[in-house]
Amino acid sequence: MKVLMVCLGNICRSPLAEGILRHLAAEKGLHWEIDSAGTGNWHVGDPPDHRSVKVARHHGIDISHLRGRQFSTADFSDFDRIFVMDLDNYRDVLRKARSEADRLKVQLLLEGQTEVPDPWYDDALFEPVYNMIYKACERLIINNY
């Protein structure tokens, strides 16, 4: 399984999702390829936001080595599933889809139309966002194990 997590800048939510899913997959002995990207290019090459690093570390997950990159059309060929954090990310990724097969790979990480809020402007959101993503990643592991 090859999974891509996508948010806006690839420094808050999607690196958390990448780190959490890698951690859970490793615990189950799954050899999944997991990566993350942003729809924007502002943080290409940058490490995750220090608040994301801190909350992940608090839960025993190290994401400090990750670096931001921008989502590209090639990602549709490279990944089986593409999970986005919010509806804006969903629309941005779908705009790059080349086919119906590409579009079918894309879905919100949380069930239904629920979005993972962007914690960038509110320090207090990082822990709740971590918990939302963790539960979604647990569900993903269970449904694909």
Side-chain angles (χ1 to χ4, degrees):
M1 173 88 77
K2 295 179 180 181
V3 178
L4 182 65
M5 301 294 193
V6 180
C7 69
L8 182 62
N10 194 211
I11 59 168
C12 293
R13 297 169 290 174
S14 58
L16 276 175
E18 177 184 351
I20 292 167
L21 189 58
R22 280 183 186 209
H23 174 78
L24 293 173
E27 282 186 338
K28 294 289 186 187
L30 302 174
H31 301 285
W32 290 6
E33 182 180 320
I34 303 160
D35 198 2
S36 62
T39 56
N41 64 358
W42 312 280
H43 300 290
V44 170
D46 292 347
D49 185 280
H50 70 279
R51 298 164 295 178
S52 287
V53 172
K54 181 179 176 182
V55 74
R57 187 174 290 131
H58 175 75
H59 291 278
I61 299 171
D62 181 15
I63 62 169
S64 63
H65 63 283
L66 301 178
R67 294 296 176 262
R69 74 174 187 86
Q70 188 173 16
F71 180 83
S72 75
T73 303
D75 289 322
F76 288 111
S77 298
D78 295 339
F79 293 94
D80 304 311
R81 311 274 302 276
I82 299 170
F83 292 98
V84 297
M85 302 298 136
D86 63 40
L87 291 171
D88 288 335
N89 306 146
Y90 184 77
R91 286 187 287 272
D92 290 343
V93 169
L94 286 183
R95 275 190 207 102
K96 293 188 177 193
R98 305 161 298 186
S99 66
E100 184 62 20
D102 285 354
R103 285 186 279 283
L104 290 172
K105 292 181 179 189
V106 184
Q107 68 185 80
L108 288 168
L109 179 63
L110 301 183
E111 291 180 333
Q113 293 295 312
T114 306
E115 299 178 308
V116 177
D118 191 344
W120 174 260
Y121 295 106
D122 186 353
D123 293 354
L125 281 178
F126 280 85
E127 185 69 29
V129 162
Y130 175 92
N131 291 327
M132 285 178 201
I133 293 171
Y134 189 91
K135 288 176 186 168
C137 288
E138 276 186 322
R139 188 175 56 254
L140 197 110
I141 293 282
I142 290 167
N143 291 340
N144 291 282
Y145 184 58

